[in-house]
Amino acid sequence: MSHAATGQPKTRDDAWEMVCRHVQERGLRRHMLAVSTAMADYARRLGQDEAYWATVGLLHDFDWEIHPDLDRHPIAGAALLRAEGWDEETIRVILSHYTEGTGVERTKPIDFALLACDEITGLVIAATLVKSSRNIADVSVDTIRKKWKDKRFAAGVDRDDVIAYTADFSRECFGGGLELWTHIAHVLQAMQANAAELELDGRLSA
Ligand SMILES: [Fe+2]
Ligand SMILES: [Fe+2]
Protein backbone atom coordinates (compact mmCIF):
# COMPACT_ATOMS: atom_id res chain seq x y z
CA MET A 1 0.00 0.00 0.00
CA SER A 2 1.23 3.45 -0.87
CA HIS A 3 1.55 5.98 1.87
CA ALA A 4 1.53 8.85 -0.64
CA ALA A 5 -0.45 11.85 0.45
CA THR A 6 -1.39 10.36 3.80
CA GLY A 7 0.38 13.27 5.45
CA GLN A 8 2.13 10.93 7.88
CA PRO A 9 5.56 12.31 8.76
CA LYS A 10 8.23 10.01 7.44
CA THR A 11 10.78 8.48 9.76
CA ARG A 12 14.27 7.00 9.59
CA ASP A 13 12.58 3.58 9.32
CA ASP A 14 10.77 4.78 6.21
CA ALA A 15 14.09 5.95 4.77
CA TRP A 16 15.69 2.59 5.49
CA GLU A 17 12.75 0.79 3.88
CA MET A 18 13.18 2.97 0.77
CA VAL A 19 16.93 2.25 0.71
CA CYS A 20 16.43 -1.50 1.09
CA ARG A 21 13.89 -1.53 -1.74
CA HIS A 22 16.17 0.34 -4.16
CA VAL A 23 19.70 -0.57 -3.10
CA GLN A 24 21.02 -4.12 -3.03
CA GLU A 25 24.72 -3.27 -2.95
CA ARG A 26 26.07 -3.51 0.58
CA GLY A 27 28.67 -0.78 0.08
CA LEU A 28 26.11 1.78 -1.04
CA ARG A 29 23.85 0.92 1.90
CA ARG A 30 26.88 1.32 4.18
CA HIS A 31 27.66 4.70 2.60
CA MET A 32 24.21 6.00 3.45
CA LEU A 33 24.28 4.53 6.97
CA ALA A 34 27.64 6.23 7.50
CA VAL A 35 26.43 9.62 6.29
CA SER A 36 23.33 9.20 8.47
CA THR A 37 25.54 8.42 11.46
CA ALA A 38 27.76 11.44 10.93
CA MET A 39 24.80 13.75 10.37
CA ALA A 40 23.03 12.57 13.51
CA ASP A 41 26.20 13.37 15.44
CA TYR A 42 26.31 16.87 13.99
CA ALA A 43 22.62 17.43 14.67
CA ARG A 44 23.38 16.68 18.31
CA ARG A 45 26.34 19.05 18.34
CA LEU A 46 24.29 21.82 16.71
CA GLY A 47 21.09 21.34 18.70
CA GLN A 48 19.20 20.29 15.58
CA ASP A 49 16.71 17.47 15.01
CA GLU A 50 18.85 14.36 15.25
CA ALA A 51 16.26 11.91 13.94
CA TYR A 52 15.52 14.11 10.96
CA TRP A 53 19.16 14.66 10.02
CA ALA A 54 19.75 10.91 10.32
CA THR A 55 16.78 10.27 8.04
CA VAL A 56 18.01 12.64 5.33
CA GLY A 57 21.53 11.23 5.47
CA LEU A 58 20.19 7.72 5.14
CA LEU A 59 18.02 8.61 2.16
CA HIS A 60 20.25 10.95 0.14
CA ASP A 61 21.62 8.40 -2.38
CA PHE A 62 18.74 5.91 -2.30
CA ASP A 63 18.43 6.15 -6.10
CA TRP A 64 22.12 5.86 -7.01
CA GLU A 65 21.89 2.15 -7.83
CA ILE A 66 18.89 2.67 -10.14
CA HIS A 67 20.10 6.07 -11.45
CA PRO A 68 23.89 5.66 -11.38
CA ASP A 69 24.76 8.85 -13.23
CA LEU A 70 24.45 12.54 -12.50
CA ASP A 71 22.02 13.10 -15.37
CA ARG A 72 19.42 11.20 -13.35
CA HIS A 73 20.62 11.19 -9.72
CA PRO A 74 19.24 12.83 -7.65
CA ILE A 75 16.59 14.50 -9.85
CA ALA A 76 14.87 11.29 -10.94
CA GLY A 77 15.08 10.10 -7.35
CA ALA A 78 13.23 13.22 -6.21
CA ALA A 79 10.28 12.25 -8.38
CA LEU A 80 10.16 8.82 -6.74
CA LEU A 81 10.30 10.39 -3.28
CA ARG A 82 7.46 12.73 -4.15
CA ALA A 83 5.39 9.82 -5.45
CA GLU A 84 5.93 8.02 -2.15
CA GLY A 85 4.74 10.98 -0.13
CA TRP A 86 8.06 12.39 1.05
CA ASP A 87 7.82 16.05 1.97
CA GLU A 88 9.19 18.81 -0.22
CA GLU A 89 11.69 20.00 2.39
CA THR A 90 13.38 16.59 2.48
CA ILE A 91 13.44 16.50 -1.31
CA ARG A 92 14.94 20.01 -1.36
CA VAL A 93 17.77 19.01 0.96
CA ILE A 94 18.55 15.96 -1.16
CA LEU A 95 18.54 18.02 -4.37
CA SER A 96 20.92 20.51 -2.72
CA HIS A 97 23.66 17.88 -2.49
CA TYR A 98 24.16 18.27 -6.23
CA THR A 99 23.59 21.96 -6.88
CA GLU A 100 25.50 21.84 -10.18
CA GLY A 101 22.88 19.56 -11.69
CA THR A 102 19.72 20.52 -9.81
CA GLY A 103 20.15 24.28 -9.39
CA VAL A 104 19.07 23.89 -5.76
CA GLU A 105 21.44 26.00 -3.66
CA ARG A 106 22.55 24.96 -0.20
CA THR A 107 21.09 27.38 2.34
CA LYS A 108 20.36 25.54 5.60
CA PRO A 109 22.67 23.89 8.15
CA ILE A 110 21.45 20.42 7.15
CA ASP A 111 22.39 21.09 3.52
CA PHE A 112 25.95 21.97 4.45
CA ALA A 113 26.21 19.04 6.86
CA LEU A 114 25.14 16.56 4.19
CA LEU A 115 27.87 17.66 1.78
CA ALA A 116 30.51 17.86 4.50
CA CYS A 117 29.74 14.29 5.62
CA ASP A 118 29.17 12.74 2.20
CA GLU A 119 32.60 11.98 0.73
CA ILE A 120 34.71 11.85 3.88
CA THR A 121 32.79 8.86 5.21
CA GLY A 122 34.02 7.01 2.12
CA LEU A 123 37.63 7.58 3.10
CA VAL A 124 36.94 6.36 6.65
CA ILE A 125 35.21 3.23 5.35
CA ALA A 126 38.03 2.51 2.88
CA ALA A 127 40.66 3.02 5.58
CA THR A 128 38.81 0.49 7.75
CA LEU A 129 38.33 -2.13 5.05
CA VAL A 130 42.06 -2.25 4.17
CA LYS A 131 42.85 -3.21 7.77
CA SER A 132 43.02 -6.97 8.22
CA SER A 133 40.79 -6.58 11.29
CA ARG A 134 38.15 -4.65 9.27
CA ASN A 135 37.52 -2.95 12.59
CA ILE A 136 37.02 0.79 12.74
CA ALA A 137 38.25 0.74 16.34
CA ASP A 138 41.71 0.18 14.82
CA VAL A 139 41.47 3.35 12.71
CA SER A 140 42.76 6.64 14.09
CA VAL A 141 42.82 10.17 12.74
CA ASP A 142 46.49 9.50 11.92
CA THR A 143 45.46 6.48 9.83
CA ILE A 144 43.08 8.70 7.87
CA ARG A 145 45.75 11.38 7.53
CA LYS A 146 48.15 8.92 5.91
CA LYS A 147 45.45 7.67 3.55
CA TRP A 148 44.44 11.24 2.77
CA LYS A 149 47.96 12.01 1.54
CA ASP A 150 48.01 8.93 -0.71
CA LYS A 151 45.98 10.29 -3.61
CA ARG A 152 45.65 6.84 -5.20
CA PHE A 153 43.93 5.51 -2.08
CA ALA A 154 40.13 5.84 -2.36
CA ALA A 155 40.79 8.08 -5.34
CA GLY A 156 37.05 8.69 -5.74
CA VAL A 157 37.13 10.79 -2.58
CA ASP A 158 38.05 14.21 -3.95
CA ARG A 159 40.21 15.77 -1.23
CA ASP A 160 39.66 19.28 -2.60
CA ASP A 161 35.89 18.76 -2.44
CA VAL A 162 36.16 17.62 1.17
CA ILE A 163 38.23 20.69 2.04
CA ALA A 164 35.77 23.03 0.31
CA TYR A 165 32.62 21.42 1.72
CA THR A 166 34.08 21.34 5.21
CA ALA A 167 34.99 25.02 4.94
CA ASP A 168 31.41 25.83 3.85
CA PHE A 169 29.96 23.81 6.74
CA SER A 170 32.38 25.45 9.16
CA ARG A 171 31.49 28.94 7.99
CA GLU A 172 27.72 28.33 7.97
CA CYS A 173 27.38 26.34 11.20
CA PHE A 174 30.48 26.88 13.35
CA GLY A 175 31.39 30.51 12.71
CA GLY A 176 34.45 29.28 10.83
CA GLY A 177 35.66 27.31 13.85
CA LEU A 178 35.45 23.75 12.50
CA GLU A 179 38.88 22.76 11.26
CA LEU A 180 39.19 19.99 8.66
CA TRP A 181 40.86 17.44 10.94
CA THR A 182 38.51 18.17 13.80
CA HIS A 183 35.66 17.46 11.41
CA ILE A 184 37.28 14.22 10.29
CA ALA A 185 37.78 13.22 13.94
CA HIS A 186 34.11 13.88 14.65
CA VAL A 187 33.03 11.74 11.69
CA LEU A 188 35.41 8.95 12.66
CA GLN A 189 34.25 8.95 16.29
CA ALA A 190 30.58 8.92 15.31
CA MET A 191 31.18 5.99 12.97
CA GLN A 192 33.21 4.14 15.62
CA ALA A 193 30.26 4.51 18.00
CA ASN A 194 27.99 2.93 15.38
CA ALA A 195 30.43 0.27 14.15
CA ALA A 196 28.01 -2.64 14.39
CA GLU A 197 25.36 -1.11 12.18
CA LEU A 198 28.04 -0.16 9.67
CA GLU A 199 29.48 -3.71 9.82
CA LEU A 200 32.83 -2.14 10.60
CA ASP A 201 33.21 -3.91 13.95
CA GLY A 202 35.44 -6.67 12.59
CA ARG A 203 32.71 -9.02 11.38
CA LEU A 204 33.96 -8.68 7.79
CA SER A 205 37.49 -9.85 8.57
CA ALA A 206 38.45 -13.01 6.73
FE1 LIG B 1 24.57 11.62 -4.28
FE1 LIG C 1 26.49 10.21 -0.97
Side-chain angles (χ1 to χ4, degrees):
M1 186 188 115
S2 168
H3 293 271
T6 58
Q8 290 258 351
K10 298 277 193 183
T11 64
R12 188 182 185 281
D13 286 346
D14 294 317
W16 183 238
E17 189 276 326
M18 193 82 178
V19 166
C20 290
R21 203 156 15 105
H22 293 91
V23 179
Q24 303 314 313
E25 209 255 313
R26 202 178 196 180
L28 182 54
R29 287 187 182 186
R30 181 179 299 113
H31 167 66
M32 285 183 276
L33 287 165
V35 173
S36 177
T37 300
M39 286 182 71
D41 180 69
Y42 272 118
R44 254 190 317 272
R45 291 177 190 277
L46 291 165
Q48 300 277 346
D49 184 337
E50 185 180 333
Y52 182 64
W53 285 39
T55 300
V56 171
L58 190 55
L59 196 59
H60 80 282
D61 279 337
F62 88 94
D63 73 323
W64 183 249
E65 195 171 283
I66 55 170
H67 304 139
D69 59 75
L70 290 170
D71 290 333
R72 290 179 290 170
H73 167 78
I75 292 178
L80 288 179
L81 291 173
R82 205 166 277 128
E84 299 240 356
W86 285 86
D87 60 283
E88 289 302 320
E89 170 59 10
T90 299
I91 293 169
R92 185 200 63 75
V93 181
I94 289 175
L95 290 173
S96 83
H97 91 274
Y98 182 50
T99 303
E100 297 81 350
T102 64
V104 178
E105 298 285 346
R106 289 181 281 284
T107 56
K108 296 189 178 175
I110 191 171
D111 310 342
F112 293 98
L114 175 55
L115 256 286
C117 294
D118 196 355
E119 288 192 73
I120 190 60
T121 56
L123 191 64
V124 176
I125 290 169
T128 305
L129 293 179
V130 295
K131 294 246 175 223
S132 58
S133 68
R134 310 272 203 279
N135 192 331
I136 196 169
D138 298 334
V139 174
S140 66
V141 172
D142 271 349
T143 317
I144 310 283
R145 213 186 278 271
K146 288 192 193 91
K147 300 298 187 191
W148 173 279
K149 287 183 193 145
D150 176 1
K151 295 286 152 74
R152 289 162 308 173
F153 183 83
V157 178
D158 187 319
R159 276 60 165 173
D160 292 335
D161 276 359
V162 175
I163 290 169
Y165 295 144
T166 304
D168 290 345
F169 183 40
S170 175
R171 187 188 65 246
E172 296 291 328
C173 299
F174 292 90
L178 181 67
E179 192 264 329
L180 175 68
W181 288 97
T182 306
H183 170 54
I184 292 173
H186 288 163
V187 169
L188 174 62
Q189 286 157 15
M191 289 173 63
Q192 284 173 329
N194 196 29
E197 186 179 45
L198 300 173
E199 298 183 308
L200 298 178
D201 56 352
R203 74 182 67 191
L204 299 178
S205 74

Short mmCIF file of all heavy atoms in Angstrom, two decimals, residues 31-32 35 60-61 97 118-119, ligand 2:
data_model
loop_
_atom_site.label_atom_id
_atom_site.label_comp_id
_atom_site.label_asym_id
_atom_site.label_seq_id
_atom_site.Cartn_x
_atom_site.Cartn_y
_atom_site.Cartn_z
N HIS A 31 27.39 3.27 2.81
CA HIS A 31 27.66 4.70 2.60
C HIS A 31 26.55 5.54 3.21
O HIS A 31 26.80 6.51 3.94
CB HIS A 31 27.79 4.99 1.10
CG HIS A 31 27.75 6.46 0.78
ND1 HIS A 31 28.74 7.33 1.19
CD2 HIS A 31 26.82 7.22 0.14
CE1 HIS A 31 28.43 8.56 0.79
NE2 HIS A 31 27.27 8.53 0.17
N MET A 32 25.32 5.18 2.94
CA MET A 32 24.21 6.00 3.45
C MET A 32 24.07 5.88 4.96
O MET A 32 23.78 6.87 5.64
CB MET A 32 22.93 5.65 2.71
CG MET A 32 22.97 6.26 1.31
SD MET A 32 21.48 5.97 0.36
CE MET A 32 21.83 4.35 -0.28
N VAL A 35 26.78 8.20 6.38
CA VAL A 35 26.43 9.62 6.29
C VAL A 35 25.34 9.94 7.33
O VAL A 35 25.38 10.97 8.01
CB VAL A 35 25.99 9.99 4.86
CG1 VAL A 35 25.46 11.42 4.81
CG2 VAL A 35 27.16 9.82 3.88
N HIS A 60 19.81 10.00 1.18
CA HIS A 60 20.25 10.95 0.14
C HIS A 60 20.69 10.31 -1.18
O HIS A 60 20.57 10.92 -2.23
CB HIS A 60 21.36 11.87 0.69
CG HIS A 60 22.73 11.25 0.71
ND1 HIS A 60 23.13 10.34 1.66
CD2 HIS A 60 23.78 11.40 -0.12
CE1 HIS A 60 24.37 9.97 1.41
NE2 HIS A 60 24.79 10.59 0.34
N ASP A 61 21.19 9.08 -1.15
CA ASP A 61 21.62 8.40 -2.38
C ASP A 61 20.77 7.17 -2.68
O ASP A 61 21.23 6.26 -3.37
CB ASP A 61 23.09 7.96 -2.26
CG ASP A 61 24.08 9.09 -2.52
OD1 ASP A 61 23.72 10.07 -3.20
OD2 ASP A 61 25.23 8.96 -2.05
N HIS A 97 22.34 18.50 -2.56
CA HIS A 97 23.66 17.88 -2.49
C HIS A 97 24.30 17.75 -3.87
O HIS A 97 25.43 17.31 -3.99
CB HIS A 97 23.67 16.57 -1.67
CG HIS A 97 23.44 15.28 -2.40
ND1 HIS A 97 22.19 14.77 -2.66
CD2 HIS A 97 24.30 14.36 -2.89
CE1 HIS A 97 22.29 13.60 -3.27
NE2 HIS A 97 23.57 13.33 -3.44
N ASP A 118 29.40 13.68 3.30
CA ASP A 118 29.17 12.74 2.20
C ASP A 118 30.44 11.99 1.81
O ASP A 118 30.55 10.77 2.02
CB ASP A 118 28.58 13.51 1.00
CG ASP A 118 27.95 12.62 -0.04
OD1 ASP A 118 28.04 11.39 0.07
OD2 ASP A 118 27.37 13.17 -1.00
N GLU A 119 31.43 12.68 1.28
CA GLU A 119 32.60 11.98 0.73
C GLU A 119 33.56 11.48 1.81
O GLU A 119 34.18 10.43 1.64
CB GLU A 119 33.36 12.90 -0.22
CG GLU A 119 32.64 13.12 -1.54
CD GLU A 119 33.54 13.77 -2.57
OE1 GLU A 119 34.44 13.09 -3.07
OE2 GLU A 119 33.34 14.97 -2.83
FE FE B 2 26.49 10.21 -0.97
#
